[in-house]
């Protein structure tokens, strides 16, 4: 794992916000056909703000690290702000990934956006 940057290793060894959430307001999932990794995000929303974000990732160290970072980046953001988190923002924050792992930077934001879409559909269904 010597090819991972320090920040990736930090979030892989000590992931923050890892685990499932009871009764989340939204659940999102993203997978990667290249390596088979899967990420699920759980969000709790209050007053249009993500007050809690958790994740579960099955995959390589980079996928776990990215999920942890995305959960931190999204917590306490408005829904609109969280929707702006993308792979470029993640890669800038994580200070880069090895070229063969750059696809991992897309899964976290995709799962987060999917969880937000799930939340919005539930709110809309309630009317």
């Amino acid at each position: 794992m010597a090819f991972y940057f320090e920040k990736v290793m930090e979030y892989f060894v000590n992931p923050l916000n890892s685990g499932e959430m009871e009764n989340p307001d939204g659940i999102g999932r993203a997978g990667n056909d290249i390596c088979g990794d899967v990420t699920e995000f759980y969000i709790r929303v209050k007053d249009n703000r993500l007050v809690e974000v958790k994740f579960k990732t099955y995959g390589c160290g980079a996928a776990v690290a990215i999920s942890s970072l995305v959960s931190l980046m999204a917590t306490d953001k408005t829904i609109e702000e969280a929707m702006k988190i993308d792979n470029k923002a993640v890669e800038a924050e994580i200070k880069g990934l090895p070229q063969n792992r750059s696809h991992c930077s897309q899964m976290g934001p995709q799962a987060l956006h999917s969880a937000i879409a799930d939340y919005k559909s539930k709110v809309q269904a309630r009317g």
Side-chain angles (χ1 to χ4, degrees):
M1 291 237 235
F3 61 91
Y4 286 127
F5 292 90
E6 184 178 329
K7 209 166 197 178
V8 174
M9 288 302 299
E10 177 185 328
Y11 287 120
F12 169 62
V13 174
N14 299 304
L16 302 173
N17 301 321
S18 178
E20 288 187 51
M21 179 188 296
E22 283 192 38
N23 303 313
D25 295 322
I27 301 172
R29 184 180 178 126
N32 188 291
D33 294 337
I34 294 171
C35 60
D37 293 350
V38 176
T39 296
E40 291 181 338
F41 264 72
Y42 309 91
I43 61 171
R44 190 165 327 283
V45 181
K46 184 175 182 184
D47 299 327
N48 197 48
R49 195 167 287 280
L50 302 182
V51 294
E52 187 178 6
V53 181
K54 295 185 78 92
F55 73 92
K56 226 171 41 172
T57 296
Y58 304 99
C60 68
V64 172
I66 295 296
S67 297
S68 181
L69 176 63
V70 169
S71 73
L72 292 171
M73 291 173 74
T75 300
D76 293 326
K77 297 286 190 283
T78 65
I79 289 174
E80 294 76 20
E81 292 167 335
M83 287 299 293
K84 293 179 183 174
I85 297 171
D86 62 8
N87 65 314
K88 291 185 187 330
V90 169
E91 287 180 20
E93 182 69 27
I94 204 98
K95 308 293 187 238
L97 284 168
Q99 187 111 28
N100 66 340
R101 295 288 181 223
S102 63
H103 61 274
C104 294
S105 66
Q106 297 172 11
M107 280 188 359
Q110 287 172 349
L112 173 66
H113 297 168
S114 178
I116 291 170
D118 181 51
Y119 165 73
K120 286 180 173 182
S121 71
K122 289 176 181 175
V123 168
Q124 188 175 14
R126 284 182 271 192

